[in-house]
Amino acid sequence: MDATSDPNTMVPHPDASDLVALRAEVADLRARLESYERILQLRDAALAPAAPSPPAAPEAPPLPDWFEIAADQLLPIQDGFYQLEWGPEGAFRWTGPGADVHFEAWLDRAAPLVATLRLFHFGVPRNARDLAIEVDGTAYPLTRLGEEKILRSDPIAPRAGDGPTRLTLRVAHVHSPAASGKADQRMLGVAFQRLRVDRA
């Protein structure tokens, strides 16, 4: 006898209602599985290490609250200076041929500043009382300290921002040594030695 024909070993054929119930159960299991997968994804995302943030840009160092420049430093002709010379009081440069001498300084302008100018020679005596320094379009007269060749400005107004400060030394009187019969044909202002700008 054929084993396949044994009625005890034959699998019963499911009817339509059983098939619908199985399909619903499979759909329910799939939905639960998808829910569990979403929960696991959310858990993994929450526990994952955070991506490193990009390094912060380094802060610019603060600007100094003073500025100093001397005759033996690089002072270009286009800023109003002749070549370096030496005298009994050290290095100096004559200004000229124009009346204006320019400096560019990077310094903190949050508080008032005072400019102090040291000269080797006034050029002509009237420069001792007629020199001024201009900052941001305002001229600040330079006052001589006693009989020294040192002059100081009134307080220079503060300014917002961190850009460069342009300082212009206004030499009131230029002269030519040739007019006094000397061989020097240059137009000269004052013999500059040092400029310092400090907090007032």
Side-chain angles (χ1 to χ4, degrees), residues 31-63:
R32 287 184 186 186
L33 183 60
E34 287 176 2
S35 295
Y36 290 139
E37 286 177 350
R38 283 194 204 108
I39 290 169
L40 291 174
Q41 288 172 350
L42 290 171
R43 185 202 64 184
D44 292 345
L47 297 177
S53 57
E59 286 187 28
L63 291 172

Side-chain angles (χ1 to χ4, degrees), residues 81 89 91-95 116-124 127-128 131 142 144 148-151 169 171 189-195:
F81 293 97
E89 296 170 33
F92 68 91
R93 288 178 192 262
W94 282 102
T95 67
T116 304
L117 177 70
R118 173 181 283 281
L119 299 176
F120 175 70
H121 199 284
F122 287 106
V124 297
N127 279 331
L131 295 176
L142 292 167
R144 187 174 183 182
E148 298 183 68
K149 290 177 271 183
I150 298 174
L151 301 102
L169 174 62
V171 179
V190 294
F192 169 83
Q193 284 195 294
R194 184 175 302 275
L195 173 68

Side-chain angles (χ1 to χ4, degrees), residues 5-199:
S5 62
D6 184 358
N8 295 328
T9 60
M10 292 188 69
V11 176
H13 184 62
D15 62 7
S17 63
D18 289 338
L19 193 57
V20 169
L22 284 173
R23 283 185 179 157
E25 191 176 336
V26 168
D28 183 52
L29 289 171
R30 280 188 182 153
R32 287 184 186 186
L33 183 60
E34 287 176 2
S35 295
Y36 290 139
E37 286 177 350
R38 283 194 204 108
I39 290 169
L40 291 174
Q41 288 172 350
L42 290 171
R43 185 202 64 184
D44 292 345
L47 297 177
S53 57
E59 286 187 28
L63 291 172
D65 55 8
W66 62 274
F67 165 79
E68 186 171 48
I69 193 161
D72 59 357
Q73 292 175 259
L74 181 61
L75 299 173
I77 291 172
Q78 64 266 24
D79 286 343
F81 293 97
Y82 288 107
Q83 73 277 0
L84 183 65
E85 299 178 50
W86 292 88
E89 296 170 33
F92 68 91
R93 288 178 192 262
W94 282 102
T95 67
D100 293 344
V101 182
H102 306 289
F103 304 92
E104 188 170 276
W106 290 86
L107 71 168
D108 185 353
R109 297 285 306 281
L113 301 169
V114 171
T116 304
L117 177 70
R118 173 181 283 281
L119 299 176
F120 175 70
H121 199 284
F122 287 106
V124 297
R126 289 176 293 166
N127 279 331
R129 66 176 187 277
D130 294 338
L131 295 176
I133 194 156
E134 183 180 297
V135 183
D136 302 328
T138 302
Y140 298 89
L142 292 167
T143 305
R144 187 174 183 182
L145 303 181
E147 294 302 309
E148 298 183 68
K149 290 177 271 183
I150 298 174
L151 301 102
R152 187 164 289 148
S153 74
D154 290 339
I156 298 166
R159 183 194 75 189
D162 56 1
T165 296
R166 185 174 173 86
L167 303 123
T168 301
L169 174 62
R170 302 261 183 220
V171 179
H173 310 285
V174 294
H175 71 286
S176 174
S180 304
K182 296 181 180 169
D184 192 342
Q185 300 289 320
R186 298 177 297 174
M187 289 298 296
L188 305 177
V190 294
F192 169 83
Q193 284 195 294
R194 184 175 302 275
L195 173 68
R196 184 174 176 95
V197 182
D198 283 298
R199 289 281 172 93

